[in-house]
Amino acid sequence: MKKLFFALALSALSLSAAFAQTYQKGETTYEFKPYGYMQLQGGVGQTIGEGKATDLLSPAAALNFGYQFKPAFGLRAGLGGWQAKGAWSSKVQTNGNNVYKFNYVALNVDAIVNLSNLIAGWNPFRTVNVSAFLGIAGNLAFNNDEAHDVAASVAKYTSVNENFGHLWDGSRISPVGRAGLIVDFRCNDNWNINLEGNGNITTDHFNSKHADNADWYLNYLVGATYKF
């Protein structure tokens, strides 16, 4: 019972810090006010699949708009994507280029928890804040011609239906689950520099290949946040 009481007391203290709306510095008291922000990011995406990891790197970008309604809790929505890649890797080698690229854009909604504020309390002058998020998205993939070219080349050596069983034409919409970490570096009251890493899980159809498991892509981003 003592251990349980101690654990509950620690949880209560953490929650009280997370929901604290004021910060005292010297004789000045600062009060938290909800605010909106805009976030622009760019970096590298990596599709998880056959082939070397370096062969599956692509450019990535994101534009988000968010709202911080509590010191530790916020929401954001945005667009992200650019390019993804797939690869054919087998003991049977073709004579052509076995890496293919296609494009995608994802509309995402994320719930964000500022871990620094949650654990240590709100501090408007903190230099580094670490946040985690969970979200959902709708992924629109398109420009899949290169996958068709590789599939046609592979068909000379093995079964297309077995290895490219989810080959798609035109465009394809897929649901996405996502999670990640954000590290914000405070520049001043309005500007932050941020680093973000996120993982995205979608259906087996994303990279056109049949593998009986979900497809994944990762993004490693750096960007700037402007707080209104």
Side-chain angles (χ1 to χ4, degrees), residues 89-198:
S89 178
S90 173
K91 294 180 180 179
V92 178
Q93 297 297 315
T94 68
N95 295 323
N97 182 5
N98 298 328
V99 177
Y100 55 93
K101 60 181 180 291
F102 55 99
N103 299 103
Y104 75 94
V105 61
L107 177 62
N108 59 274
V109 177
D110 301 321
I112 302 176
V113 177
N114 187 312
L115 300 176
S116 299
N117 286 340
L118 184 66
I119 296 170
W122 176 61
N123 179 351
F125 302 103
R126 184 179 290 120
T127 304
V128 181
N129 280 281
V130 179
S131 301
F133 69 85
L134 287 173
I136 57 174
N139 184 303
L140 174 65
F142 53 98
N143 287 344
N144 204 33
D145 293 341
E146 290 191 10
H148 283 265
D149 294 339
V150 173
S153 180
V154 169
K156 300 175 184 178
Y157 300 90
T158 186
S159 168
V160 174
N161 290 332
E162 180 182 353
N163 299 289
F164 280 90
H166 294 321
L167 192 64
W168 47 269
D169 293 302
S171 61
R172 181 172 185 84
I173 298 176
S174 304
V176 177
R178 46 192 264 119
L181 287 174
I182 306 168
V183 181
D184 281 302
F185 300 90
R186 181 181 183 275
C187 299
N188 53 43
D189 288 345
N190 293 101
W191 288 96
N192 285 350
I193 300 297
N194 62 75
L195 300 175
E196 178 175 331
N198 61 61

Side-chain angles (χ1 to χ4, degrees), residues 46-50 53 56 85 200 207 214-218 220:
Q46 178 185 358
T47 311
I48 305 301
E50 295 178 328
L56 300 179
K85 289 183 178 178
N200 303 265
N207 65 2
D215 288 339
W216 286 83
Y217 60 93
L218 310 176
Y220 315 101

